[in-house]
Amino acid sequence: MAKVIMTADDSASVRQMVSFTLKQNGYDVVEAVDGQDALTKLSSQKVDMLITDLNMPNMDGLGLIRGVRAGTLNKFIPIIMLTTESQDAKKGEGKAAGATGWIVKPFKPEQLIAVVRKVLG
Amino acid sequence: MIEQHISTYREEAGELLAELETSLLELEECPEDADLIGRVFRAMHTIKGSGAMFGFDEIAAFTHEVETVFDLVRNGKLAVTKQLLNLTLRARDTIKALLDSSLSGEEVDRVEAEAIISGLKQLIPPVESESPPHAEQTFFDPVETGSRQQTWRIRFKPHPEIFLCGGNPSALLAELRELGTSHVVAHMDAIPLLGDLNPEHCHIYWDIILTTTRGIDAIKDVFIFVEDDCELRIDLVDDGGQIDVSEGYKKLGDILVERGDLSPAEMQKILGLQKRFGELAVAAGAVTPDKVQSALVEQRHVKNIRQERVAQESGSSVRVPAEKLDLLVNLVGEMVTVQAHLTQTAAQLKLPMVVSIAEEVERLTNELRDTALNIRMLPIGTTFTKFKRLVRDLSQELGKEIEMETEGAETELDKTVIEKLNDPLVHLIRNSIDHGIEMPDTRLAAGKPAQGTVRLAAVHSGDSVLLTIRDDGAGLDREAIRSKAVERGLMAANADLTDREIYNMIFAPGFSTAAKVTSVSGRGVGMDVVKKAIESLRGTIDIASVRGEGSTITLRIPLTLAIIECLLVRIGRDFFLMPLSIVEECVELSREDVRNSHGRNLANVRGAIVPYVPLRAHFGIVDNRPEIEQIVITRINGNKIGFVVDSVVGEHQTVIKSLGRMYRDVKGISGATILGDGTVALILDMGLLLRAAAQERGKE
């Protein structure tokens, strides 16, 4: 069965690109437009992995990561955060919140897939 | 696909810019509204982040400056002022202009952009100058650090809460395993008793002994997401260099001390007891059995790796100049000649002792010959890579999608043969790409995948190598070739030829059915040159094709050029050699048979009519024509042809000596050799001989 990955991003173009790349590589994708949307969806749906942006309205990426780790259903899933090079400090905050790893924007589809393969095992 | 993302980005950026404008105007009303400031920041952030991903580098760079300022505002380090809002609104217009110019190509006012950036920079308090951006991590493209094999000892002790961060130690170990040969030992001494065990924590840690050519960066990359939180030690234990074989690998105790599992003082104490160190160390309670086990694994692993390397190094190759090999092969050739002489003399002397020595020498010489020739063999794969590049470049030039597959790259051929094969192969592959494979849309219309395939395969077959070049293109147009051949007078208009015979017409000089001449091929110069080149290697070329499905060209190339198996025949007092590979059988031809065929040079071989060439007449040898002659029946280009000689002497290992320049134009003779008794025998080129005979016959 195909693994399910959620992409949470308020940028439609990034969401589309991530989603397209993942689907092309045989993953199923659930999309969420911000942290709140993602957390609501994750409370009822089991996914295998989460890829989240850090800056989002309503609930940002850090809040989302903490929320997922505090929940039950998706507590142990790998979470990858998308950061920009200027947000080095954010990496640390993200890790502290429970993120598994990060991808620095801008990234290419191959890089995304390499990281997904790495954390999904 | 990427276009689709780009247009989505354009739409999105347009929306964000509109939102940005509203937010900025609202912000003018209530400059303290954190929610509004956040919205402005996020809009900038998304425009920048996504812009960089879809190639809008200028937008990304420009927006980055504005974003930096708003980050400060967001963190309360900078107040929203009229000046800031003015600059930001102007920045918004510049971003819009940049976005539009990417579509329309209109120039953007760079001076305005510069002015905005410098204006914004003045707003930033001097202390808050940005820290230099982090160096790019070389995470995605691990570079091979040469081919040197190094062995590493890795102690990986994950943070107990690794699972809570979504980490997966076993996936990391699996990733390490992909880097090279590894041994993994798990340490379980840190697992608490059941009562104290937190099942959501990781209590196990690992020692990994890894032998890899990829270098330490590749290993570190495996741990990139966890290295800050885990205990990770990576030590080089064997750097793949020269080995002093007598020394062996480190002692168990030394390994434990080096790893920090045991202190040197403890080791000395235990050593004083003089029993097996591992048992002693455990018994003394200094280390756990796991640790000893792990150290032993390292010892064994490195020992094995080193042994393999020593074996490889001692058995590895020696570089020798090609001339030395040529000289060796020449000497072996002379040796074969002398051996033939010896065998012949021994047979004449009829001395059993000498005969047995001659046989022994013959056996050894044959082995020596095979070995010497083998040394010059190279795998053909070295040329294959060159062709891959050729296919890639040509298909791009022609706008076709072509994939090249190769098979049998390890097939070995004489070095000189490989060199001489290069040009014909290039030509054949060019032909396949230009004439064979169709354009992608034509292919799709024919129900074939858009991507065409050219397949180059090499395989051993007896004393020769078969090379096939197969494409899944349009195949040969039988009718076009036929009409062209008729037009050029190569065949009669009503001749009934097989497909194969018709396809072989393309090897005629100047033959081309291509409608237009491209830079790649179509001038009709080529296939005949290819055929000549292959024939000069004493090889054959054959073509098969199915219209709409593709063509296959098969080259049969002898393994070596230096020595061939021949049939030794005699006409009058002269000896001649015919390559044994094309000889099928020998039959007798009596004077009576000749009379019965009424001068038509046809023999009846078990009911089949076989045309023959009387070599005696061809070479103008007149004396002592025997009552019963022999016909050597050969197969040339798929046809049975007989050659009449006085008598067949037998098989002969023929060392080819090329004839001098003076004899280059003699048709039908490809070289000469020296027989056992010192006489010279000419090696016949049967194909050319047949053609010459046919021409003579035509003149008559």
Side-chain angles (χ1 to χ4, degrees), chain A residues 6 42 46-51 68-69 73-80 98-100, chain B residues 163-167:
Chain A
M6 170 178 275
L42 287 178
K46 173 84 185 114
V47 301
D48 295 290
M49 182 181 171
L50 167 66
I51 299 173
V68 173
R69 292 290 182 229
L73 190 57
N74 291 303
K75 185 173 182 174
F76 293 108
I77 60 165
I79 302 179
I80 291 293
T100 313
Chain B
F163 298 129
L164 294 171
C165 285

PDB file of all heavy atoms in Angstrom, chain A residues 6 42 46-51 68-69 73-80 98-100, chain B residues 163-167:
ATOM      1  N   MET A   6       1.520  13.912   4.368  1.00  0.00           N
ATOM      2  CA  MET A   6       0.766  15.170   4.380  1.00  0.00           C
ATOM      3  C   MET A   6       1.710  16.323   4.089  1.00  0.00           C
ATOM      4  O   MET A   6       2.823  16.374   4.615  1.00  0.00           O
ATOM      5  CB  MET A   6       0.096  15.393   5.734  1.00  0.00           C
ATOM      6  CG  MET A   6      -0.490  16.808   5.834  1.00  0.00           C
ATOM      7  SD  MET A   6      -1.332  17.128   7.367  1.00  0.00           S
ATOM      8  CE  MET A   6      -2.948  16.478   6.993  1.00  0.00           C
ATOM      9  N   LEU A  42      -4.977  15.629  10.917  1.00  0.00           N
ATOM     10  CA  LEU A  42      -4.119  14.584  11.491  1.00  0.00           C
ATOM     11  C   LEU A  42      -4.742  13.952  12.733  1.00  0.00           C
ATOM     12  O   LEU A  42      -4.316  12.878  13.159  1.00  0.00           O
ATOM     13  CB  LEU A  42      -2.738  15.160  11.835  1.00  0.00           C
ATOM     14  CG  LEU A  42      -1.836  15.466  10.635  1.00  0.00           C
ATOM     15  CD1 LEU A  42      -0.525  16.077  11.104  1.00  0.00           C
ATOM     16  CD2 LEU A  42      -1.556  14.195   9.839  1.00  0.00           C
ATOM     17  N   LYS A  46      -4.558   8.713   9.876  1.00  0.00           N
ATOM     18  CA  LYS A  46      -3.183   8.237  10.085  1.00  0.00           C
ATOM     19  C   LYS A  46      -2.379   8.499   8.815  1.00  0.00           C
ATOM     20  O   LYS A  46      -2.805   8.132   7.723  1.00  0.00           O
ATOM     21  CB  LYS A  46      -3.216   6.734  10.377  1.00  0.00           C
ATOM     22  CG  LYS A  46      -1.839   6.072  10.439  1.00  0.00           C
ATOM     23  CD  LYS A  46      -1.188   6.208  11.797  1.00  0.00           C
ATOM     24  CE  LYS A  46       0.231   5.648  11.784  1.00  0.00           C
ATOM     25  NZ  LYS A  46       1.242   6.699  12.000  1.00  0.00           N
ATOM     26  N   VAL A  47      -1.257   9.176   8.963  1.00  0.00           N
ATOM     27  CA  VAL A  47      -0.371   9.342   7.807  1.00  0.00           C
ATOM     28  C   VAL A  47       0.995   8.760   8.168  1.00  0.00           C
ATOM     29  O   VAL A  47       1.243   8.415   9.329  1.00  0.00           O
ATOM     30  CB  VAL A  47      -0.213  10.823   7.397  1.00  0.00           C
ATOM     31  CG1 VAL A  47      -1.551  11.432   7.049  1.00  0.00           C
ATOM     32  CG2 VAL A  47       0.480  11.618   8.480  1.00  0.00           C
ATOM     33  N   ASP A  48       1.875   8.635   7.158  1.00  0.00           N
ATOM     34  CA  ASP A  48       3.188   8.055   7.420  1.00  0.00           C
ATOM     35  C   ASP A  48       4.257   9.122   7.616  1.00  0.00           C
ATOM     36  O   ASP A  48       5.347   8.837   8.106  1.00  0.00           O
ATOM     37  CB  ASP A  48       3.590   7.140   6.262  1.00  0.00           C
ATOM     38  CG  ASP A  48       2.663   5.955   6.152  1.00  0.00           C
ATOM     39  OD1 ASP A  48       2.719   5.091   7.035  1.00  0.00           O
ATOM     40  OD2 ASP A  48       1.834   5.921   5.210  1.00  0.00           O
ATOM     41  N   MET A  49       3.921  10.345   7.201  1.00  0.00           N
ATOM     42  CA  MET A  49       4.943  11.388   7.264  1.00  0.00           C
ATOM     43  C   MET A  49       4.286  12.742   7.068  1.00  0.00           C
ATOM     44  O   MET A  49       3.220  12.842   6.455  1.00  0.00           O
ATOM     45  CB  MET A  49       5.964  11.148   6.148  1.00  0.00           C
ATOM     46  CG  MET A  49       7.096  12.123   6.145  1.00  0.00           C
ATOM     47  SD  MET A  49       8.209  11.754   4.785  1.00  0.00           S
ATOM     48  CE  MET A  49       9.243  13.200   4.880  1.00  0.00           C
ATOM     49  N   LEU A  50       4.941  13.778   7.614  1.00  0.00           N
ATOM     50  CA  LEU A  50       4.419  15.133   7.469  1.00  0.00           C
ATOM     51  C   LEU A  50       5.527  16.043   6.954  1.00  0.00           C
ATOM     52  O   LEU A  50       6.655  16.012   7.454  1.00  0.00           O
ATOM     53  CB  LEU A  50       3.896  15.639   8.824  1.00  0.00           C
ATOM     54  CG  LEU A  50       3.587  17.133   8.958  1.00  0.00           C
ATOM     55  CD1 LEU A  50       2.422  17.535   8.060  1.00  0.00           C
ATOM     56  CD2 LEU A  50       3.253  17.484  10.404  1.00  0.00           C
ATOM     57  N   ILE A  51       5.205  16.817   5.929  1.00  0.00           N
ATOM     58  CA  ILE A  51       6.148  17.826   5.442  1.00  0.00           C
ATOM     59  C   ILE A  51       5.470  19.172   5.666  1.00  0.00           C
ATOM     60  O   ILE A  51       4.392  19.418   5.118  1.00  0.00           O
ATOM     61  CB  ILE A  51       6.437  17.636   3.947  1.00  0.00           C
ATOM     62  CG1 ILE A  51       7.061  16.256   3.714  1.00  0.00           C
ATOM     63  CG2 ILE A  51       7.367  18.732   3.433  1.00  0.00           C
ATOM     64  CD1 ILE A  51       7.231  15.904   2.254  1.00  0.00           C
ATOM     65  N   VAL A  68       1.296  17.654  16.870  1.00  0.00           N
ATOM     66  CA  VAL A  68       1.338  16.267  16.392  1.00  0.00           C
ATOM     67  C   VAL A  68       2.029  15.373  17.420  1.00  0.00           C
ATOM     68  O   VAL A  68       1.569  14.288  17.745  1.00  0.00           O
ATOM     69  CB  VAL A  68       2.079  16.183  15.035  1.00  0.00           C
ATOM     70  CG1 VAL A  68       2.278  14.738  14.633  1.00  0.00           C
ATOM     71  CG2 VAL A  68       1.291  16.919  13.960  1.00  0.00           C
ATOM     72  N   ARG A  69       3.128  15.862  17.973  1.00  0.00           N
ATOM     73  CA  ARG A  69       3.883  15.068  18.944  1.00  0.00           C
ATOM     74  C   ARG A  69       3.094  14.869  20.242  1.00  0.00           C
ATOM     75  O   ARG A  69       3.318  13.898  20.968  1.00  0.00           O
ATOM     76  CB  ARG A  69       5.221  15.748  19.260  1.00  0.00           C
ATOM     77  CG  ARG A  69       6.192  15.762  18.093  1.00  0.00           C
ATOM     78  CD  ARG A  69       6.727  14.398  17.762  1.00  0.00           C
ATOM     79  NE  ARG A  69       7.689  14.443  16.663  1.00  0.00           N
ATOM     80  CZ  ARG A  69       7.661  13.649  15.602  1.00  0.00           C
ATOM     81  NH1 ARG A  69       6.716  12.725  15.488  1.00  0.00           N
ATOM     82  NH2 ARG A  69       8.576  13.732  14.662  1.00  0.00           N
ATOM     83  N   LEU A  73      -2.389   9.540  17.492  1.00  0.00           N
ATOM     84  CA  LEU A  73      -2.477   8.797  16.236  1.00  0.00           C
ATOM     85  C   LEU A  73      -1.183   8.894  15.416  1.00  0.00           C
ATOM     86  O   LEU A  73      -0.682   7.904  14.903  1.00  0.00           O
ATOM     87  CB  LEU A  73      -3.658   9.345  15.419  1.00  0.00           C
ATOM     88  CG  LEU A  73      -4.064   8.549  14.189  1.00  0.00           C
ATOM     89  CD1 LEU A  73      -4.396   7.118  14.543  1.00  0.00           C
ATOM     90  CD2 LEU A  73      -5.239   9.225  13.498  1.00  0.00           C
ATOM     91  N   ASN A  74      -0.620  10.104  15.307  1.00  0.00           N
ATOM     92  CA  ASN A  74       0.548  10.300  14.452  1.00  0.00           C
ATOM     93  C   ASN A  74       1.779  10.730  15.252  1.00  0.00           C
ATOM     94  O   ASN A  74       2.676  11.383  14.731  1.00  0.00           O
ATOM     95  CB  ASN A  74       0.226  11.345  13.383  1.00  0.00           C
ATOM     96  CG  ASN A  74      -0.778  10.825  12.379  1.00  0.00           C
ATOM     97  OD1 ASN A  74      -0.542   9.793  11.743  1.00  0.00           O
ATOM     98  ND2 ASN A  74      -1.915  11.491  12.268  1.00  0.00           N
ATOM     99  N   LYS A  75       1.784  10.306  16.514  1.00  0.00           N
ATOM    100  CA  LYS A  75       2.820  10.785  17.426  1.00  0.00           C
ATOM    101  C   LYS A  75       4.246  10.538  16.936  1.00  0.00           C
ATOM    102  O   LYS A  75       5.122  11.371  17.079  1.00  0.00           O
ATOM    103  CB  LYS A  75       2.625  10.104  18.777  1.00  0.00           C
ATOM    104  CG  LYS A  75       3.566  10.616  19.847  1.00  0.00           C
ATOM    105  CD  LYS A  75       3.203  10.033  21.203  1.00  0.00           C
ATOM    106  CE  LYS A  75       4.127  10.606  22.264  1.00  0.00           C
ATOM    107  NZ  LYS A  75       3.708  10.180  23.610  1.00  0.00           N
ATOM    108  N   PHE A  76       4.478   9.358  16.341  1.00  0.00           N
ATOM    109  CA  PHE A  76       5.861   8.975  16.020  1.00  0.00           C
ATOM    110  C   PHE A  76       6.245   9.162  14.559  1.00  0.00           C
ATOM    111  O   PHE A  76       7.290   8.711  14.129  1.00  0.00           O
ATOM    112  CB  PHE A  76       6.100   7.514  16.422  1.00  0.00           C
ATOM    113  CG  PHE A  76       6.042   7.314  17.911  1.00  0.00           C
ATOM    114  CD1 PHE A  76       4.969   6.650  18.493  1.00  0.00           C
ATOM    115  CD2 PHE A  76       7.045   7.807  18.724  1.00  0.00           C
ATOM    116  CE1 PHE A  76       4.927   6.458  19.865  1.00  0.00           C
ATOM    117  CE2 PHE A  76       6.998   7.624  20.101  1.00  0.00           C
ATOM    118  CZ  PHE A  76       5.935   6.963  20.671  1.00  0.00           C
ATOM    119  N   ILE A  77       5.397   9.802  13.780  1.00  0.00           N
ATOM    120  CA  ILE A  77       5.740   9.931  12.356  1.00  0.00           C
ATOM    121  C   ILE A  77       6.913  10.881  12.162  1.00  0.00           C
ATOM    122  O   ILE A  77       7.134  11.773  12.969  1.00  0.00           O
ATOM    123  CB  ILE A  77       4.543  10.459  11.512  1.00  0.00           C
ATOM    124  CG1 ILE A  77       4.089  11.843  12.011  1.00  0.00           C
ATOM    125  CG2 ILE A  77       3.402   9.473  11.494  1.00  0.00           C
ATOM    126  CD1 ILE A  77       3.187  12.555  11.033  1.00  0.00           C
ATOM    127  N   PRO A  78       7.691  10.653  11.087  1.00  0.00           N
ATOM    128  CA  PRO A  78       8.745  11.618  10.767  1.00  0.00           C
ATOM    129  C   PRO A  78       8.119  12.938  10.298  1.00  0.00           C
ATOM    130  O   PRO A  78       7.141  12.924   9.551  1.00  0.00           O
ATOM    131  CB  PRO A  78       9.504  10.970   9.611  1.00  0.00           C
ATOM    132  CG  PRO A  78       8.932   9.622   9.415  1.00  0.00           C
ATOM    133  CD  PRO A  78       7.648   9.528  10.156  1.00  0.00           C
ATOM    134  N   ILE A  79       8.672  14.036  10.773  1.00  0.00           N
ATOM    135  CA  ILE A  79       8.190  15.350  10.341  1.00  0.00           C
ATOM    136  C   ILE A  79       9.355  16.129   9.751  1.00  0.00           C
ATOM    137  O   ILE A  79      10.396  16.282  10.387  1.00  0.00           O
ATOM    138  CB  ILE A  79       7.599  16.148  11.528  1.00  0.00           C
ATOM    139  CG1 ILE A  79       6.453  15.363  12.169  1.00  0.00           C
ATOM    140  CG2 ILE A  79       7.116  17.522  11.046  1.00  0.00           C
ATOM    141  CD1 ILE A  79       5.819  16.058  13.359  1.00  0.00           C
ATOM    142  N   ILE A  80       9.172  16.576   8.522  1.00  0.00           N
ATOM    143  CA  ILE A  80      10.210  17.358   7.855  1.00  0.00           C
ATOM    144  C   ILE A  80       9.715  18.788   7.737  1.00  0.00           C
ATOM    145  O   ILE A  80       8.585  19.024   7.321  1.00  0.00           O
ATOM    146  CB  ILE A  80      10.476  16.790   6.441  1.00  0.00           C
ATOM    147  CG1 ILE A  80      11.142  15.414   6.530  1.00  0.00           C
ATOM    148  CG2 ILE A  80      11.343  17.745   5.630  1.00  0.00           C
ATOM    149  CD1 ILE A  80      12.539  15.434   7.090  1.00  0.00           C
ATOM    150  N   GLY A  98      10.240  18.836  17.945  1.00  0.00           N
ATOM    151  CA  GLY A  98      10.037  17.430  17.598  1.00  0.00           C
ATOM    152  C   GLY A  98      10.118  17.132  16.113  1.00  0.00           C
ATOM    153  O   GLY A  98       9.696  16.074  15.666  1.00  0.00           O
ATOM    154  N   ALA A  99      10.691  18.058  15.336  1.00  0.00           N
ATOM    155  CA  ALA A  99      10.842  17.779  13.908  1.00  0.00           C
ATOM    156  C   ALA A  99      11.950  16.747  13.706  1.00  0.00           C
ATOM    157  O   ALA A  99      12.911  16.699  14.471  1.00  0.00           O
ATOM    158  CB  ALA A  99      11.177  19.055  13.151  1.00  0.00           C
ATOM    159  N   THR A 100      11.798  15.908  12.676  1.00  0.00           N
ATOM    160  CA  THR A 100      12.795  14.882  12.408  1.00  0.00           C
ATOM    161  C   THR A 100      13.946  15.451  11.603  1.00  0.00           C
ATOM    162  O   THR A 100      15.103  15.121  11.822  1.00  0.00           O
ATOM    163  CB  THR A 100      12.151  13.741  11.603  1.00  0.00           C
ATOM    164  OG1 THR A 100      10.919  13.404  12.215  1.00  0.00           O
ATOM    165  CG2 THR A 100      13.054  12.533  11.563  1.00  0.00           C
TER     166      THR A 100
ATOM    167  N   PHE B 163      12.673   8.490  19.008  1.00  0.00           N
ATOM    168  CA  PHE B 163      11.397   8.108  18.390  1.00  0.00           C
ATOM    169  C   PHE B 163      10.393   9.253  18.437  1.00  0.00           C
ATOM    170  O   PHE B 163       9.557   9.387  17.564  1.00  0.00           O
ATOM    171  CB  PHE B 163      10.796   6.895  19.107  1.00  0.00           C
ATOM    172  CG  PHE B 163      11.656   5.678  19.023  1.00  0.00           C
ATOM    173  CD1 PHE B 163      11.992   4.955  20.156  1.00  0.00           C
ATOM    174  CD2 PHE B 163      12.141   5.251  17.792  1.00  0.00           C
ATOM    175  CE1 PHE B 163      12.784   3.833  20.068  1.00  0.00           C
ATOM    176  CE2 PHE B 163      12.936   4.117  17.699  1.00  0.00           C
ATOM    177  CZ  PHE B 163      13.265   3.406  18.845  1.00  0.00           C
ATOM    178  N   LEU B 164      10.519  10.076  19.490  1.00  0.00           N
ATOM    179  CA  LEU B 164       9.572  11.184  19.641  1.00  0.00           C
ATOM    180  C   LEU B 164       9.825  12.275  18.611  1.00  0.00           C
ATOM    181  O   LEU B 164       9.015  13.165  18.423  1.00  0.00           O
ATOM    182  CB  LEU B 164       9.654  11.761  21.054  1.00  0.00           C
ATOM    183  CG  LEU B 164       9.187  10.775  22.129  1.00  0.00           C
ATOM    184  CD1 LEU B 164       9.494  11.300  23.510  1.00  0.00           C
ATOM    185  CD2 LEU B 164       7.700  10.505  21.985  1.00  0.00           C
ATOM    186  N   CYS B 165      10.985  12.213  17.970  1.00  0.00           N
ATOM    187  CA  CYS B 165      11.253  13.162  16.896  1.00  0.00           C
ATOM    188  C   CYS B 165      11.053  12.493  15.540  1.00  0.00           C
ATOM    189  O   CYS B 165      11.518  13.001  14.513  1.00  0.00           O
ATOM    190  CB  CYS B 165      12.679  13.693  16.984  1.00  0.00           C
ATOM    191  SG  CYS B 165      12.871  14.893  18.293  1.00  0.00           S
ATOM    192  N   GLY B 166      10.408  11.343  15.558  1.00  0.00           N
ATOM    193  CA  GLY B 166      10.151  10.665  14.288  1.00  0.00           C
ATOM    194  C   GLY B 166      11.378   9.997  13.701  1.00  0.00           C
ATOM    195  O   GLY B 166      11.382   9.634  12.532  1.00  0.00           O
ATOM    196  N   GLY B 167      12.436   9.866  14.493  1.00  0.00           N
ATOM    197  CA  GLY B 167      13.650   9.245  13.987  1.00  0.00           C
ATOM    198  C   GLY B 167      13.499   7.736  13.921  1.00  0.00           C
ATOM    199  O   GLY B 167      12.662   7.150  14.599  1.00  0.00           O
TER     200      GLY B 167
END
